[in-house]
Amino acid sequence: MATVLRGQGRGEDARRILLARQRRDARRARPGSRLWGYLQDATVGYGYRPQRAAVISAALLAVGAVLFGVHPPAPAEPAKAPSFNPLVYTLDLLLPVLDFGQQSAFLPKGPYQWASCAFIVAGVILATTIAAGLTRSLRRT
């Protein structure tokens, strides 16, 4: 059905059908796979809605920049620390494969340490779901 819709130039309708199939398959999966499927659906719509990940990432970046801008972490080594930038610090937390040097130069304390851990986990989850979504998208084309 999706192939026919795509052939008629109704790509959005085809994506809607394929997304519904992915959601149905996720409901039938084992609990661990089901949880991963729900996470995929919420973040990238199983690769059919990649713009969601961009919106979530931008929202996390904004929240982190404000949070760490209001409550900046202390430098790990004050004499060697670069100047603190809350936006770059949050990017450093969210992007697991890039290192801007901010995360290692500053040490949050108390609840902000937990917040930084949450940003790291969110970044890993988003990166993984984006990669899985892209893989699925590339396989479809």
Side-chain angles (χ1 to χ4, degrees):
M1 185 174 189
T3 304
V4 171
L5 289 169
R6 230 185 242 133
Q8 294 173 346
R10 297 171 56 192
E12 184 58 34
D13 292 333
R15 280 189 293 281
R16 200 173 296 118
I17 295 288
L18 293 169
L19 181 57
R21 183 186 73 192
Q22 288 286 346
R23 287 176 174 157
R24 181 200 65 210
D25 292 347
R27 283 192 301 271
R28 295 178 180 169
R30 293 174 305 194
S33 297
R34 191 176 318 136
L35 178 63
W36 179 248
Y38 292 147
L39 192 58
Q40 285 280 300
D41 192 14
T43 54
V44 292
Y46 296 102
Y48 297 102
R49 307 273 189 253
Q51 64 277 14
R52 283 183 185 173
V55 170
I56 293 168
S57 297
L60 286 171
L61 185 60
V63 167
V66 170
L67 177 71
F68 295 115
V70 173
H71 301 282
E77 295 181 44
K80 296 180 182 178
S83 61
F84 180 73
N85 183 318
L87 184 67
V88 176
Y89 180 75
T90 306
L91 266 176
D92 215 356
L93 295 174
L94 287 173
L95 299 175
V97 294
L98 298 177
D99 183 11
F100 296 108
Q102 292 274 309
Q103 180 182 354
S104 57
F106 297 94
L107 301 172
K109 302 258 191 259
Y112 305 104
Q113 184 177 13
W114 288 104
S116 69
C117 289
F119 280 100
I120 292 168
V121 169
V124 169
I125 290 170
L126 275 171
T128 306
T129 56
I130 289 168
L134 284 174
T135 301
R136 190 172 287 117
S137 293
L138 292 174
R139 213 174 333 145
R140 281 194 315 266
T141 58

